[in-house]
Amino acid sequence: MDSSFPFAEFCSFLDKARRSRTASSRKTIVQSFLNHWRKSDPDCYPVLRLLIPSYDSSRSYNMKEAKLANVLIKVLSLAKGSADAMLLRRFEHLQGDKKRLGKSEEEDFGDAVFKVVKGRLVSSDSESGNRVTVKRVNDFLTQLSESVSDQREDLLAKFIVNLTPTELAWLVRIILKSPNLLRIPDVHVLKAYHESAPQLYNVTGDLRRVARELWDPDRILQDIQVRIGEPFSPMLADRIASGLGNSKIILEEKLDGERLLLHVLPDGTLKCFSRSLQDSSDLYRQGFLKNLQLNSFENSVFDGELMAFDADLDIYLNYDTVRMAASQAAQDPDSRVYPVFVVFDILFLHGVYLGNEPLLVRKEKLKELQTLNCKQMKIIEYKEFEDYDEQLVMAELDAVMAKHGEGLILKAANSKYEIGARSKQWIKVKPDYVNGLIDTFDLQVTGVYVGKGVLGTTGTISALQCACTDPYSGKLLSFCKIGSGFNREELRTIHSMLSAHLTTERPEDLLESPRGDYPDAYIDTQAFKLIVEVQGMSIIDSGVFACGL
């Protein structure tokens, strides 16, 4: 096995694994396949990026079901109003149509594609032979990722005529970067490759590095070396459960911005990476990075939060305004709303790794930044306390909330920086973590959003649109979108309750904002009513929902 391996045979393996009855058997099938692959080719990167496309950060296609459906409708010459065309275009809403997609909740857009194209494509499953290889598919996907948006549909249309229905079904899943392709968590696929693969990936986000550093299944991974200029996962705070013992603590305000690791390269070039390991350098270069002069801090890495600052109000704005502030600052250097990087930790200073030093030592090193005269980079203010005192923490929390802050971060003063870990050495305190400090709302569910996240497969409900009743008109006003607070089983229950009442038509008694985040399907509010109790920490101004909040 190597990159010349037929894609048809690779898809046969994928089908076998996906249809296997148990998660353990699916993992065994994947492990056996990878072991066979590495015997003939130690480089498993080409096949890993097809097995777990959601982990392949080097390729982005920006093609969702709607675009893929348009390409297939065009290639197959389907009538726009035909049942098959409607199935592809409105797959999310037809997920519950058992006549078309069967009863299994595991069926996805790939299954819908297979049903529609079977018997229509030039290439049939029996004629596949060695027509398309794993290498050819990878080359095509790289070309698709690197092409401009306008070219992607044409490229895809030309390529798919070479594929069988089975191959096409798997290709669209890969392009969609569908998580858990084989009905097991993607992390289990990484573990099937090497026991330490999830650990290395969580820190670096680099699937190529995982494949090539752990090609030997018997290798024991020692300390993971992080590198300046390459992404790695930041240390995260755990939710408050208990205090930090009797250790000295540092208290900081929890900021509502975008978490970034700012890298200063040897030549002074700046790069920044998000918490999800995405390179955000181009996104923030004009409105932020170009204004920083950090040549005297070469080979350094700073951890902090990118905030939107309103100079007229002298306040930091909420998370949703960060990118807007960067865009405004890029267009108008004198903008009164601009991004500010609030630094709270340092990982490297002049090439020396500081992560193993106590936090207080790292805080002292950060003070070197005070020599900078830059309005777009600040050091976070903090307080030191000899030990954890709940009454003191609640008093500080009240003070932060009084000025519409988000919460607190408590850190053990002697804590080391645990890369990629959610550590109990740092804990976050927010009102919604403390009973009695949050408000509840009774709202009516008026729409659903369909997602492909961990809690649901493609086509299942992942979030809800909720509305409140206008006391004057009696109309329903869209109020918020809820995407958390329920587990997999609760989502399935909600799905079963709502699936028979979904419609593509907005109810006459529901008002939405012209700039709204519209749901993928609505609830027939005349036939069915679902009321949910929602917890909320604060209400912020927004033009997204009809209530005007």
Side-chain angles (χ1 to χ4, degrees), residues 22-35 184 192:
T22 66
S24 60
S25 64
R26 291 191 284 274
K27 183 177 178 181
T28 299
I29 291 170
V30 172
Q31 195 162 31
S32 176
F33 178 85
L34 289 172
N35 287 339
I184 55 175

Side-chain angles (χ1 to χ4, degrees), residues 239 397 406 429-435 437-438 535-537:
R239 287 180 60 146
L397 180 61
E406 188 178 8
V429 185
K430 297 172 63 176
D432 47 327
Y433 299 164
V434 183
N435 290 333
L437 294 185
I438 55 176
Q535 292 183 335
M537 183 180 69

Side-chain angles (χ1 to χ4, degrees), residues 32 74 78 93 149 157 180 187 199 238 301 308 311 331 408 433 471 519:
S32 176
K74 180 179 178 181
L78 298 178
H93 310 320
S149 179
N180 312 330
V187 68
Q199 179 187 358
D238 203 356
V301 177
Q331 297 173 24
L408 300 173
Y433 299 164

Side-chain angles (χ1 to χ4, degrees), residues 121-125 127-128 131 161-165 167:
L121 287 183
V122 174
S123 298
S124 67
D125 284 336
E127 296 172 343
S128 61
R131 190 188 311 273
V161 296
N162 300 304
L163 303 178
T164 69
E167 291 170 333

Side-chain angles (χ1 to χ4, degrees), residues 485-504:
F486 26 59
N487 58 33
R488 184 191 298 270
E489 288 304 316
E490 289 168 337
L491 275 180
R492 286 177 175 170
T493 300
I494 293 171
H495 186 99
S496 64
M497 291 173 63
L498 298 180
S499 59
H501 305 286
L502 297 181
T503 175
T504 57

Side-chain angles (χ1 to χ4, degrees), residues 145-325:
S145 174
E146 293 175 350
S147 63
V148 297
S149 179
D150 294 342
Q151 298 175 343
R152 286 176 181 156
E153 291 191 21
D154 288 339
L155 286 171
L156 182 61
K158 292 176 182 178
F159 187 75
I160 64 177
V161 296
N162 300 304
L163 303 178
T164 69
T166 299
E167 291 170 333
L168 180 55
W170 282 106
L171 182 70
V172 298
R173 292 182 182 115
I174 293 167
I175 291 173
L176 288 170
K177 292 204 162 191
S178 302
N180 312 330
L181 279 184
L182 302 180
R183 295 173 51 218
I184 55 175
D186 287 338
V187 68
H188 288 186
V189 177
L190 275 183
K191 275 193 171 183
Y193 178 66
H194 193 288
E195 193 66 27
S196 298
Q199 179 187 358
L200 181 57
Y201 182 84
N202 286 341
V203 170
T204 66
D206 189 341
L207 192 60
R208 182 192 297 269
R209 181 175 171 183
V210 171
R212 294 180 178 173
E213 287 193 14
L214 299 177
W215 66 270
D216 181 357
D218 296 323
R219 180 188 171 186
I220 298 175
L221 184 66
Q222 304 295 336
D223 292 339
I224 299 173
Q225 299 298 315
V226 294
R227 304 162 183 165
I228 298 172
E230 297 183 6
F232 53 85
S233 295
M235 181 174 176
L236 303 177
D238 203 356
R239 287 180 60 146
I240 184 170
S242 60
L244 293 169
N246 296 321
S247 63
K248 188 172 184 178
I249 66 169
I250 286 176
L251 184 148
E252 301 170 353
E253 181 177 348
K254 187 178 188 304
L255 303 175
D256 185 21
E258 181 170 356
R259 182 78 175 271
L260 291 178
L261 286 170
L262 178 64
H263 295 235
V264 188
L265 305 188
D267 62 357
T269 301
L270 302 180
K271 297 185 75 172
C272 57
F273 298 96
S274 70
R275 170 179 162 178
S276 59
L277 307 175
Q278 298 300 308
D279 188 340
S280 301
S281 306
D282 290 339
L283 178 65
Y284 292 122
R285 191 169 310 284
Q286 295 304 314
F288 169 54
L289 294 180
K290 76 171 186 178
N291 299 321
L292 300 182
Q293 300 298 323
L294 295 174
N295 293 333
S296 58
F297 290 92
E298 73 285 345
N299 281 318
S300 299
V301 177
F302 302 98
D303 189 2
E305 202 96 359
L306 189 63
M307 306 288 293
F309 182 72
D310 188 318
D312 292 327
L313 299 177
D314 193 28
I315 60 171
Y316 289 115
L317 306 178
N318 60 57
Y319 167 80
D320 294 332
T321 61
V322 172
R323 296 191 178 187
M324 176 203 70

